[in-house]
Amino acid sequence: MGQVPSAPQINESEIDVEALRAKYAQERRRRLREDGAAQYRKAAGEFGYYAKDPYTPFAARAPLADRVEALVIGGGFGGLLTGANLRKAGVESIRMLDEAGDFGGTWYWNRYPGIHCDIESYVYMPLLEEVGYMPTRRYAPGEEIRQHAVAIAKKFDLYADTAFHTRVTSLTWDEECSEWIIETDRNDKMRAKFVITSSGTLTQPKLPGIEGIENFKGHTFHTSRWDYDYTAGDANGGLTGLGDKRVAVIGTGATGLQAIPHVAENAKHTFVFQRTPSTVDIRANRDTDPHWAASLEPGWQKKRQDNFLDIISGEDFDEDLIQDGWTTVPQLQRAMITGKIDESLSAEERERAEELLDFAKLNQIRSRVDEIVEDPQAAEKLKPWYRYMCKRPGFSDTYLQSFNRKNVTLVDTAEYGGVTRMTESTIVVGDTEYEVDCVIFATGFDVGVSGVLSGTMPVYGRGGLPLLHAWAQGPKTLHGFQSHRYPNLFHLGALQNANSVNFVHILQEQAEHLSAIIQAGRSAGVSIIEPSVEEQEEWTRTIHGSAIDNSKFQLECTPGYYNNEGKARPNLNSFGPGPVAFAKLLKQWRENELEAYIARHIEVNA
């Protein structure tokens, strides 16, 4: 399977800093588009069929008009971890709600061939010890992860009162009854004392806004709704239905890296349309060693998760338990993931050292392209020319090898900002037409846009005030989870708190925190929990005072979803010291301030 990715050796005499800076800037300019993120269109309206559920039949049911104590919106890992922790806190009346037909979140929707996690599964898959499960591989396949989500739901009895294939259309606070009214697209008008939103940001597929896309007469689908009726096979490959088909894959991000090798292996001909190449480092996946698994002591997963987070966040650590592509170059992630920094160096010295390491790492990755890809012209097109964290790093031991196949054509669309247009039977790039039978869109999702923030799930608090109006000048929360005038409403996500590449770990910390607040309130007999104006203003000042503005770095990156397609804006809604420091802050708050926080609500509720 190859060796684990290694940290590059920096030899300044071999790094032409000015030449690389110029090359990066040139490649960025080639890909900039005036329309930025507007180049994509939603999978809605006439394209709504791209977002429909192909896995679970829709079942009619009567509208719900009942009450539950806690309603959790979202059936991905965030929602599941919330439900599990609420169960541990003694909450019996829980309703889980999701637009999908079952639990799993992004792992429910994404079932394309080759799908695996890119974070080590022993760290990524939560509650392994509680469920009593050990992943079969270091980087588990998608179906195994989905089944683990189902196992969590069964373990904590979260199927008992679910509402699948259900989308919330509004949340309204009922002042008289002190509860939330939840309306949905199934004509439900249910009520709940507590509402927790974890609707995720990797479920709504997006499509490129290609001229003429609606005119194509061949077959099309999005990778998040893979059409195995057309391709045959399953997530392990065997796409024999493509044997006589000319297939186009548009998109070469994390999904493309995994799916394209299987399409290339089976299709008559595969055209890969690439705007920007991904970094492709060694994956080196392997089966779980049963002797290693048997040697683990209770508490092993939290220890491993904390070790990974410490390394990624720049904290001190005695041993790297993971030793993979993420932990070998954690310094390079400082540009995108805030955390502890080396105070012994000046800002200029840190920036210089990180840039040199970045150049060395990308030189290593570009050299790997030359080592694997036999066609020099294809190899040049596959080389990434940007800083390491301009895009989410990629890992694969089969993707680059696909371009050595005679039935694979790489089409570089950089000069045109993507595919130019589509006709009834072709994809056009510049003046060149490519006849294809099928188009697969590996174009990702509307990232960072939850229903609350997009307005598709409007929230009305005390006095009917819309949440987005209250946040018109920016979010105002306590620790990112609660807002004044919106009692008993909790949000999971990355807003006004801290983030990391293993977001499931972040969600786990958040779910534990929120359930502790709810448990404390229930124990004290408090019916309404909300922060004061002063509490949320103090936290907002803390966030703004600690946030690290990385927009300069992002504006120098090649366009992508990390930097709003080249139009990055300052992000002042993240806790600068990072996720480890944030977790410690929350723990100290629970130990020292939660009791007083709840006590204040006893007086208010009286």
Side-chain angles (χ1 to χ4, degrees), residues 442-460:
T443 45
F445 303 88
D446 288 327
V447 177
V449 183
S450 67
V452 171
L453 292 176
S454 69
T456 59
M457 187 171 71
V459 179
Y460 304 97

Side-chain angles (χ1 to χ4, degrees), residues 124-426:
Y124 177 80
M125 295 168 67
L127 304 182
L128 290 174
E129 290 183 81
E130 289 86 339
V131 173
Y133 185 72
M134 176 59 66
T136 61
R137 309 208 77 198
R138 188 179 191 193
Y139 303 97
E143 179 60 14
E144 184 174 342
I145 301 172
R146 187 183 74 83
Q147 290 293 344
H148 182 61
V150 169
I152 292 173
K154 291 179 178 177
K155 169 76 175 180
F156 293 96
D157 194 27
L158 299 178
Y159 277 103
D161 201 6
T162 57
F164 290 124
H165 283 153
T166 302
R167 179 174 59 84
V168 174
T169 54
S170 68
L171 295 172
T172 304
W173 177 250
D174 185 331
E175 196 78 51
E176 182 177 346
C177 298
S178 295
E179 59 189 10
W180 286 95
I181 301 171
I182 302 98
E183 297 186 73
T184 79
D185 61 351
R186 304 288 292 268
N187 295 317
D188 302 312
K189 196 170 185 178
M190 59 189 92
R191 290 171 174 265
K193 180 178 179 180
F194 299 104
V195 172
I196 302 94
T197 70
S198 182
S199 51
T201 61
L202 289 174
T203 57
Q204 296 301 316
K206 66 181 181 184
L207 300 170
I210 302 171
E211 178 187 344
I213 187 175
E214 67 279 359
N215 298 326
F216 184 70
K217 302 300 184 184
H219 197 73
T220 63
F221 58 88
H222 192 277
T223 50
S224 68
R225 309 293 191 270
W226 195 275
D227 189 351
Y228 285 109
D229 288 338
Y230 182 83
T231 67
D234 56 27
N236 296 315
L239 313 180
T240 56
L242 300 180
D244 61 346
K245 303 293 193 301
R246 297 161 298 179
V247 181
V249 181
I250 298 179
T252 56
T255 296
L257 297 191
Q258 297 183 99
I260 286 169
H262 291 282
V263 176
E265 182 180 354
N266 290 275
K268 177 182 179 181
H269 199 93
T270 300
F271 295 95
V272 177
F273 291 86
Q274 168 194 275
R275 183 183 66 168
T276 306
S278 289
T279 58
V280 187
D281 212 336
I282 298 168
R283 164 50 66 218
N285 202 358
R286 60 174 182 262
D287 292 342
T288 297
D289 180 351
H291 298 291
W292 170 79
S295 72
L296 297 172
E297 298 179 353
W300 69 268
Q301 187 181 30
K302 177 169 174 50
K303 179 181 178 182
R304 200 171 184 89
Q305 287 175 326
D306 289 346
N307 179 254
F308 181 82
L309 192 63
D310 283 347
I311 296 171
I312 294 300
S313 304
E315 301 290 328
D316 297 329
F317 61 95
D318 296 325
E319 179 186 6
D320 180 357
L321 297 176
I322 314 301
Q323 297 182 32
D324 71 354
W326 294 103
T327 64
T328 52
V329 286
Q331 304 95 316
L332 298 185
Q333 296 168 54
R334 287 299 88 72
M336 285 295 293
I337 303 169
T338 53
K340 186 177 179 182
I341 59 176
D342 185 355
E343 298 288 356
S344 67
L345 299 176
S346 67
E348 292 76 15
E349 289 172 328
R350 279 198 304 273
E351 186 174 336
R352 171 73 175 178
E354 289 171 4
E355 186 179 36
L356 287 172
L357 178 61
D358 203 307
F359 286 148
K361 181 61 183 177
L362 266 293
N363 283 344
Q364 184 186 70
I365 287 173
R366 288 188 286 265
S367 294
R368 184 170 185 246
V369 177
D370 284 328
E371 292 168 5
I372 294 174
V373 180
E374 297 166 0
D375 179 358
Q377 290 185 326
E380 284 305 308
K381 294 175 184 177
L382 289 163
K383 290 178 182 177
W385 298 98
Y386 47 80
R387 294 285 291 271
Y388 188 66
M389 286 302 293
C390 284
K391 293 184 175 295
R392 188 175 177 95
F395 306 90
S396 176
D397 297 322
T398 57
Y399 175 75
L400 294 174
Q401 290 82 346
S402 298
F403 296 95
N404 292 332
R405 292 179 172 274
K406 297 185 183 302
N407 67 324
V408 175
T409 300
L410 175 64
V411 183
D412 183 19
T413 68
E415 293 292 346
Y416 308 95
V419 172
T420 305
R421 60 188 174 89
M422 294 174 66
T423 71
E424 292 187 357
S425 61
T426 68

Side-chain angles (χ1 to χ4, degrees), residues 86-103:
L86 288 175
R87 282 280 189 250
K88 292 178 184 179
V91 182
E92 295 182 2
S93 178
I94 300 174
R95 170 165 293 143
M96 306 292 295
L97 187 152
D98 200 280
E99 294 183 46
D102 202 347
F103 289 108

